Amino acid sequence: MRRPKKEIQLTSYDELLGLEESPEKSMNQVVEIELEKLYPFKNHPFHVSDDEKMAETVESIKNYGVLNPALVRPRSEGGYELISGHRRKRGCELCGKTTMPVLVRNYTDDEAVIIMVDSNIQRENILPSEKAHAYKMKYDAMKHQGSKGEKYTADMVGETAGDSGRTVQRYIRLASLSDGLLEYVDDNKIPMIVGEKLSYLKPQEQEWLLEGIVNSNIFPTKQQAEQLKECSANGKLNQGYIYAVLLKKENSKINVTIPAKKIGNYFPETYSKEQIEEVIFMLLDKWKQNREGVADAEDTV
């Protein structure tokens, strides 16, 4: 006796994409959405630059279209929030496209943050500032979800990129740096280990330090950063001391009286007497070095 044929089950498009989930996440569909309805992820930490990589993305979209749909979630205000696909959206804009394919899903805030970070963290040439803010966002999201233990959570945060918990914690410290100081870390003018120590300075103290760096073009060493951190912890850090540390005059016994009314015309009104003195010391040092250089050159003639 012949056995009845089993009914053939065709694999659905959703199953191929791995979209079969619980009923509460029902919005699992790839659709074409207008670019103007796609909004960047709140506090998105990764830069989207019109660089060489973007040029390659644009060329690929021109030739083949968007091969992988972006991932979005509905916004209560209307439109959709991009979870991944910010570069693809920019590529579409540069190509003159008005829509792009997206996968719509309902995610909680914490779920969206974790997916957003993990989908970008393995990119090439990620800047320290990008990693710092990304790891901070993912760490906070995982803590909200009930992850226990700071070190354990940090280890989990770094798993996708292969970073240890200690490395993750160092990056998270960097997230406490001001944008101006973080730019110097990105440019390798302030080493990461120095930036980590400077991150313990209060926001106002960081602004003083940034101003001092800009005015003197001197960047703190690891030892100087430790000095500033310790002084800040003791509640004794001020602008004058920051200038003194940068200019290595903290132990100077020179006591010069500056005629403020005459000299003050050459400085911003917000400068204190101590700041003015330190800038003058710096200029005198440079003048002395230049004079010594000229003398050495004359001796060799």
Side-chain angles (χ1 to χ4, degrees), residues 13 20 44 57 92 110 145 167 173 178 202 240 249 258:
Y13 183 70
E20 291 297 326
H44 189 250
T57 299
C92 287
D110 291 336
Q145 290 185 330
T167 299
R173 276 301 332 163
S178 68
K202 301 175 181 65
K249 289 290 183 179
I258 301 295

Side-chain angles (χ1 to χ4, degrees), residues 9-21 28-32 66-70 101-105:
Q9 298 290 336
L10 296 178
T11 303
S12 69
Y13 183 70
D14 282 355
E15 289 173 335
L16 287 173
L17 291 179
L19 304 180
E20 291 297 326
E21 292 190 351
N28 292 316
Q29 50 185 321
V30 176
V31 293
E32 285 284 334
V66 179
L67 299 178
N68 296 314
V102 302
L103 173 61
V104 183
R105 283 192 173 181

